Amino acid sequence: MDSEYDRKSELIAFDDSKAGVKGLVDAGVAKIPRMFIHPQHNLREKSVSTNAQLRIPIIDLEGVNSDAILRAKIIDKVRNACEIWGIFQIVNHGILKSVLEEMIKGIRRFNEQDTEVKKEFYTRDSSKKVKFVSNSDLFQAPAATWKDSFSCIITPNPPDPTDMPAVCRDIIMEYSKQVKMLANTLFELVAEALGLNSNHLKDMECAEGLFLVSHYYPACPEPELTMGTKTHTDPTFLTVLLQDQVGGLQVLHEKQWVNVNPVPGALVINTGDLLQLVSNDMFRSAKHRVLANHKGPRVSVGSFFSPFSLPPSKLYGPIKELLSEENPPKYKETTARDYGTCHRAERHDGTSALHHFKL
């Protein structure tokens, strides 16, 4: 890297454009700007498992609330997926395919509308409930990633609907309503998979906060030099991810990267760091990432369930019912907000913040 390269000026100019990565693509860049180039040792880790047996579990939720025998089998599959993978896909989850498709289209509409309209939402102000930004950690991260993001807080204090973009307002409201109902079922299944009462995690208010984050990954002219999303874990209890059919999401499993191949109509479920903490390592939070791609755009919508706005008095630690002399607590208690703050400080090197809370 030559000494004349002024990275800070490049970052400021990019941020001031408020046009994001899509703005670069629209301008016809044939080579990616230097601020997006990742260190070679990070990119060398891109090798993907060739083991055809390694497949992300797909769990069919058909009959989960109407057939006790089927429910028990589903709980076994959820337990297995959370213990071994930390990620799984679900089908027959109750959200209509038309709603999923319209949600993807809504996010595309937002990102592909007139840039001047989109710029009105561009901000790095963390207090804003609705925001569009490219690389939330742009000025902290060693290298930028090839995506733009639109996010909004859904619960507990949703934004005024008039503050949301007209092109996707209705579908965000509808999709969020349905994903909250689905999360209700998922938190029951995960609680039962831990051997607890079905309402245990809900009674702990694990599902009290919903933060919706959508990513728009434009086609990249040099995908081998950058990333769509860096390696990370989620600082949540559960994440429900809707992805389109482009692909690029990968999970780290047994020291190998495994593709999370898109399945039409499916949703991807991630167990987050806070679930690993309260389960005392019974369930694991999986490292995952998104590759940059010649194909694009890729669109994804993550629904992050974590009680990030509960009062500081609400502490989370290993669940007492799971502990014993043979299984003592491995973590100290923390609030969801403090955990999130710690996670943001750690995220640049791809490690989870859980080690800070180890006893």
Side-chain angles (χ1 to χ4, degrees):
M1 294 286 177
D2 62 69
S3 57
E4 290 181 20
Y5 171 56
D6 186 350
R7 176 178 169 78
K8 191 172 181 188
S9 294
E10 187 177 37
L11 293 174
I12 290 169
F14 172 76
D15 199 43
D16 285 349
S17 78
K18 299 184 178 181
V21 173
K22 186 175 184 298
L24 298 174
V25 173
D26 290 347
V29 294
K31 289 193 168 298
I32 68 171
R34 196 147 155 191
M35 56 183 269
F36 290 95
I37 297 176
H38 286 243
Q40 275 306 305
H41 64 271
N42 287 0
L43 297 170
R44 273 197 287 274
E45 291 180 357
K46 282 193 176 182
S47 58
V48 181
S49 169
T50 52
N51 183 350
Q53 304 302 311
L54 280 182
R55 290 218 183 119
I56 309 299
I58 299 175
I59 301 175
D60 189 340
L61 296 189
E62 185 77 58
V64 70
N65 290 319
S66 58
D67 184 322
I69 294 169
L70 264 180
R71 186 180 178 95
K73 287 179 179 173
I74 290 167
I75 288 163
D76 282 343
K77 288 177 182 174
V78 168
R79 182 186 306 111
N80 192 52
C82 292
E83 285 176 352
I84 296 168
W85 285 90
I87 193 169
F88 55 97
Q89 300 205 58
I90 54 171
V91 293
N92 293 318
H93 44 65
I95 302 181
L96 290 173
K97 201 171 172 187
S98 58
V99 173
L100 303 181
E101 288 170 351
E102 180 56 26
M103 186 67 216
I104 293 287
K105 284 178 188 167
I107 297 306
R108 280 193 72 149
R109 283 196 300 273
F110 173 80
N111 284 278
E112 293 169 5
Q113 69 184 324
D114 184 84
T115 306
E116 292 308 310
V117 179
K118 205 165 55 169
K119 278 181 181 179
E120 293 171 24
F121 295 94
Y122 196 93
T123 180
R124 294 194 180 278
D125 181 349
S126 59
S127 70
K128 296 281 188 192
K129 291 183 179 179
V130 177
K131 60 188 208 178
F132 164 57
V133 76
S134 188
N135 287 263
S136 58
D137 59 352
L138 184 70
F139 294 98
Q140 295 82 36
T145 54
W146 199 256
K147 68 169 179 292
D148 299 327
S149 307
F150 171 77
S151 63
C152 51
I153 290 171
I154 304 295
T155 55
N157 302 305
D160 186 309
T162 59
D163 292 335
M164 295 174 76
V167 291
C168 55
R169 177 191 303 142
D170 292 349
I171 187 58
I172 286 176
M173 311 284 271
E174 179 58 31
Y175 176 75
S176 300
K177 187 172 76 179
Q178 296 205 27
V179 91
K180 279 196 284 184
M181 286 164 57
L182 170 62
N184 213 34
T185 299
L186 289 170
F187 275 103
E188 288 180 7
L189 295 175
V190 170
E192 290 179 59
L194 286 167
L196 302 165
N197 173 290
S198 65
N199 288 323
H200 198 108
L201 294 174
K202 290 191 289 186
D203 291 344
M204 286 170 60
E205 301 179 281
C206 298
E208 283 306 296
L210 170 54
F211 185 45
L212 187 135
V213 184
S214 65
H215 296 312
Y216 181 92
Y217 302 85
C220 182
E222 297 179 297
E224 68 284 355
L225 298 180
T226 190
M227 295 293 293
T229 296
K230 294 186 290 283
T231 301
H232 67 289
T233 58
D234 290 349
T236 57
F237 281 100
L238 286 178
T239 304
V240 179
L241 182 84
L242 166 62
Q243 61 171 343
D244 66 11
Q245 298 302 301
V246 173
L249 176 63
Q250 297 181 331
V251 62
L252 190 62
H253 178 71
E254 296 175 354
K255 299 183 179 177
Q256 300 175 85
W257 287 105
V258 181
N259 289 319
V260 184
N261 292 320
V263 174
L267 291 163
V268 180
I269 311 301
N270 275 13
T271 53
D273 292 349
L274 286 173
L275 186 59
Q276 180 168 334
L277 185 147
V278 299
S279 72
N280 210 41
D281 285 349
M282 271 181 72
F283 291 170
R284 60 189 300 266
S285 175
K287 284 187 177 182
H288 50 287
R289 67 183 186 183
V290 178
L291 301 183
N293 200 324
H294 278 299
K295 289 189 294 184
R298 174 185 185 263
V299 173
S300 69
V301 183
S303 299
F304 295 88
F305 286 91
S306 179
F308 47 83
S309 58
L310 284 182
S313 56
K314 182 66 182 177
L315 291 169
Y316 288 96
I319 294 168
K320 304 286 187 287
E321 289 83 347
L322 303 178
L323 304 177
S324 63
E325 275 188 42
E326 298 76 42
N327 184 30
K330 295 175 182 173
Y331 298 98
K332 56 189 176 187
E333 293 183 321
T334 180
T335 66
R337 179 175 292 184
D338 285 351
Y339 188 84
T341 302
C342 195
H343 178 270
R344 281 191 293 280
E346 287 280 305
R347 64 183 169 178
H348 307 307
D349 60 2
T351 57
S352 142
L354 280 169
H355 65 95
H356 287 295
F357 300 88
K358 282 266 189 190
L359 287 170

